[in-house]
Amino acid sequence: MTKERLYLFDTTLRDGNQSQGVDFSVEDKRTLAHALDALGVDYVEGGWPGANPTDTAFFAEPPKLKRAKLTAFGMTRRPGRSVSNDPGLKAVLDAEVPAACLVGKTWDWHVDLALGTTNEEAVKLIRESIAAAKSRGREPLFDAEHFFDGWKANRAFTLECVQAAFDAGARWVVLCDTNGGTLPHEVERIVAEVAQHIPGDRLGIHAQNDTDNAVANSLAAVRGGVRHVQGTLNGIGERCGNANLVSIIPTLLLKPEFADRFETGISVDNLKQLTHVSRLLDELLNRAPNLHAPYVGDNAFAHKGGLHGSAVAKDPRTYEHIAPEAVGNRRRVLVSDQAGKANVLGRLKEVGIEVNADDPRLTKLIADMKERHHQGYAYDGAEASFELMALRALGRLPDYFHVASFRVIVERRYNHRGELVTTSDAMVKSVVDGETLLSVGEGNGPVNALDCALRQELGKYSGFLADLELVDYKVRILTQGTGAVTRVMVESRDRHGHRWTTVGVSANIIDASFQALFDAIVYKLHREGAPAGVIQAAE
């Protein structure tokens, strides 16, 4: 059976850039445009030429994409201006890109409120602007702003607007749920009604996420008849965001209701890039990925409970709706006080540690792990510390070095200019191959000072740690009072992009920090295959 084609339109670089805290550079836009092109989306909306210096510079030298159509965004001409005498529209049409997406008012209330013109003139703005884009050799797309609100308020006028765009040559007439307030059952019904006037293979959907229904609304629109879907990577966008293409794409490709009827420009092989592309965006935005994101989050295929772990070990389909590898993700078997033998065996196998299920050391490891959880350790979030604990229990972790003692001093004083300052210094006495090494570190806080001192001088191991970087530090108070037990989580990374988390627990926050920092160093040495040391007590 021949499948119908669905077209995917990404607006991360334009609509996504309206998110609070998001400000793409020109190079960021180029990087993402190439990644989206490689993934296989059909359109990449690059921004609004002329609206700001970044977008103008981006379109001055647009990236060369292999298959996606780079698209410029803008508005239909303004009332009182001709097509040739509207600077905003001219900037869009002058952009040397294959497609132009023009947004226009389709809600009569907005025509009066925002445009200050008549309904008849509003329709004329749409018709003439789309015709102008087509005459310039651009593939025209029309974004029908507030379409669903307009349809409910004045169906005849809103239909006239989208019909005008279609008749003027718009390749796609995109129905926009601009304030995100429409629900899936409404979207499907209204789209089906519109499809009686404009063919579905010329209709699109652009849903905002203000009711957390943008993905559902997009899928409902496909069921209703649209064959073009707009959205952003990770759902970023103004207010609550856009429809999340990272969730929509695998749903269309892997769920039988859609996969049996439709095809997209994204191949099964390219779908494996999805997790990478999602995390590339987070990396460019300098923010941590959403651990619980569907399909691509670190916890999307994570299993914690003993019952779940046992079932997944027998057949992953028990608790997984797709194979994680299909979207470039991986299964994670978490270890915690709820874990049984199956979870622990699964996690050990995942990191390349083979052990027999009847090995008595495994039973002791599980008992020790649960006792440490009772004390406050959390290994489901600190997998590197769990791996070290397992290796030690199985006798497979070399001794590298020994920390004989450390001291941290925090001083609050007035400097020579009479300014009140707080300084932190740390001293660490380490033993490497029987030699005692003394290191001193200064930092912007006691933990930073301890981290600097701990790694400053470790003899033959210093070279292995040159690229080790502490990137996150979290503290949680587990019990109340001044003698509270504290848990510290430290996230580290190296130049290869590897990231790992370690944990420490103590009534003393500095001691808990030391445990986590020490594990981070040992884990790095283990990964790098550093040679074992000769451990002797300090004199």
Side-chain angles (χ1 to χ4, degrees):
M1 181 182 72
T2 303
K3 296 182 179 182
E4 290 187 75
R5 181 71 152 83
L6 292 177
Y7 293 83
L8 300 170
F9 183 108
D10 182 275
T11 180
T12 303
L13 306 183
R14 198 274 304 174
D15 209 339
N17 201 38
Q18 297 186 56
S19 304
Q20 182 178 5
V22 173
D23 188 16
F24 294 122
S25 68
V26 174
E27 280 310 307
D28 290 339
K29 287 186 172 246
R30 292 182 186 280
T31 298
L32 285 170
H34 285 297
L36 289 162
D37 185 40
L39 181 63
V41 301
D42 299 288
Y43 299 85
V44 174
E45 190 172 60
W48 190 332
N52 58 74
T54 299
D55 285 1
T56 300
F58 176 80
F59 282 103
E61 295 185 46
K64 305 299 181 185
L65 305 183
K66 294 182 178 179
R67 63 173 311 281
K69 294 179 180 178
L70 189 59
T71 306
F73 177 85
M75 291 180 62
T76 57
R77 73 166 176 85
R78 289 176 291 174
R81 296 262 187 173
S82 66
V83 166
S84 60
N85 193 33
D86 189 311
L89 180 58
K90 182 177 186 302
V92 176
L93 300 185
D94 284 347
E96 294 296 327
V97 294
C101 183
L102 301 178
V103 62
K105 307 293 186 185
T106 62
W107 185 2
D108 58 353
W109 182 53
H110 273 199
V111 170
D112 179 59
L113 180 72
L115 295 182
T117 189
T118 64
N119 288 357
E120 292 75 18
E121 174 69 7
V123 174
K124 189 177 179 181
L125 303 180
I126 295 168
R127 181 185 299 111
E128 292 182 357
S129 300
I130 293 296
K134 189 174 179 65
S135 69
R136 291 287 298 271
R138 307 292 183 261
E139 181 177 315
L141 297 89
F142 176 63
D143 265 10
E145 189 178 31
H146 285 282
F147 170 82
F148 292 94
D149 297 299
W151 184 270
K152 296 173 189 177
N154 186 340
R155 172 176 170 168
F157 168 69
T158 299
L159 181 59
E160 188 179 2
C161 289
V162 295
Q163 189 72 55
F166 174 72
D167 292 342
R171 172 63 184 90
W172 296 107
V173 176
V174 183
L175 312 180
C176 301
D177 185 27
T178 308
N179 63 19
T182 313
L183 299 179
H185 68 282
E186 298 177 288
V187 170
E188 186 168 359
R189 173 180 56 81
I190 293 172
V191 166
E193 292 174 3
V194 178
Q196 296 176 14
H197 302 272
I198 298 174
D201 61 2
R202 303 286 290 277
L203 289 175
I205 182 70
H206 184 165
Q208 297 290 134
N209 200 39
D210 297 73
T211 63
D212 206 20
N213 278 294
V215 170
N217 281 343
S218 300
L219 298 175
V222 172
R223 288 195 299 269
V226 308
R227 298 297 177 257
H228 169 109
V229 179
Q230 296 194 5
T232 60
L233 290 176
N234 299 343
I236 66 171
E238 63 179 332
R239 302 189 313 278
C240 304
N242 282 264
N244 186 357
L245 283 182
V246 176
S247 294
I248 292 173
I249 289 170
T251 300
L252 294 175
L253 268 67
L254 300 176
K255 295 302 179 181
E257 177 183 352
F258 299 102
D260 291 347
R261 291 183 55 197
F262 304 109
E263 63 181 2
T264 71
I266 298 176
S267 67
V268 172
D269 283 342
N270 280 4
L271 184 61
K272 297 174 183 177
Q273 301 177 29
L274 190 66
T275 298
H276 163 71
V277 174
S278 169
R279 295 179 184 177
L280 172 64
L281 172 64
D282 289 321
E283 188 67 29
L284 290 174
L285 296 178
N286 195 29
R287 67 181 190 183
N290 177 6
L291 298 178
H292 303 285
Y295 290 105
V296 299
D298 258 359
N299 290 341
F301 302 96
H303 306 279
K304 181 173 181 178
L307 180 62
H308 282 209
S310 179
V312 168
K314 295 175 182 177
D315 189 339
R317 293 173 298 180
T318 308
Y319 289 102
E320 294 176 352
H321 65 111
I322 65 163
E325 296 80 13
V327 292
N329 208 342
R330 65 184 180 94
R331 180 175 303 111
R332 296 173 66 232
V333 180
L334 305 179
V335 288
S336 70
D337 58 348
Q338 300 179 42
K341 185 175 289 187
N343 271 57
V344 176
L345 281 170
R347 174 59 186 151
L348 293 176
K349 184 177 181 180
E350 189 177 305
V351 297
I353 301 175
E354 297 291 340
V355 58
N356 292 328
D358 57 357
D359 191 320
R361 295 174 299 178
L362 180 63
T363 302
K364 186 176 186 308
L365 170 62
I366 295 173
D368 289 346
M369 180 191 68
K370 293 191 175 187
E371 173 57 30
R372 288 171 73 84
H373 261 278
H374 179 68
Q375 297 171 12
Y377 290 85
Y379 291 110
D380 55 348
E383 295 176 346
S385 283
F386 168 74
E387 188 176 337
L388 294 178
M389 179 183 176
L391 289 169
R392 290 186 183 108
L394 297 172
R396 302 182 190 178
L397 184 68
D399 286 325
Y400 298 109
F401 66 98
H402 169 63
V403 175
S405 65
F406 70 85
R407 179 183 300 166
V408 178
I409 300 172
V410 178
E411 183 183 11
R412 190 168 186 262
R413 57 179 173 80
Y414 289 94
N415 63 16
H416 66 281
R417 291 193 294 268
E419 300 166 333
L420 187 63
V421 296
T422 302
T423 61
S424 299
D425 300 281
M427 182 181 70
V428 176
K429 185 185 293 185
S430 303
V431 180
V432 180
D433 290 343
E435 180 184 1
T436 300
L437 305 173
L438 189 64
S439 300
V440 177
E442 184 178 1
N444 55 15
V447 176
N448 180 231
L450 180 58
D451 181 40
C452 293
L454 191 56
R455 291 190 277 133
Q456 184 187 84
E457 180 53 67
L458 282 176
K460 65 184 182 183
Y461 298 120
S462 294
F464 292 98
L465 306 174
D467 64 335
L468 176 61
E469 181 184 3
L470 189 156
V471 294
D472 200 5
Y473 176 84
K474 297 185 179 73
V475 176
R476 182 175 177 186
I477 306 301
L478 303 177
T479 59
Q480 301 300 313
T482 56
V485 174
T486 301
R487 178 167 66 216
V488 168
M489 307 281 279
V490 166
E491 185 178 4
S492 306
R493 70 180 175 195
D494 61 18
R495 68 175 182 275
H496 305 297
H498 298 136
R499 301 174 81 103
W500 61 96
T501 303
T502 50
V503 63
V505 172
S506 174
N508 185 307
I509 189 173
I510 302 301
D511 183 53
S513 302
F514 167 79
Q515 295 174 36
L517 292 170
F518 182 81
D519 267 9
I521 291 173
V522 172
Y523 187 77
K524 170 68 169 173
L525 295 176
H526 171 65
R527 283 188 63 97
E528 296 289 339
V534 179
I535 304 299
Q536 296 181 11
E539 296 181 0

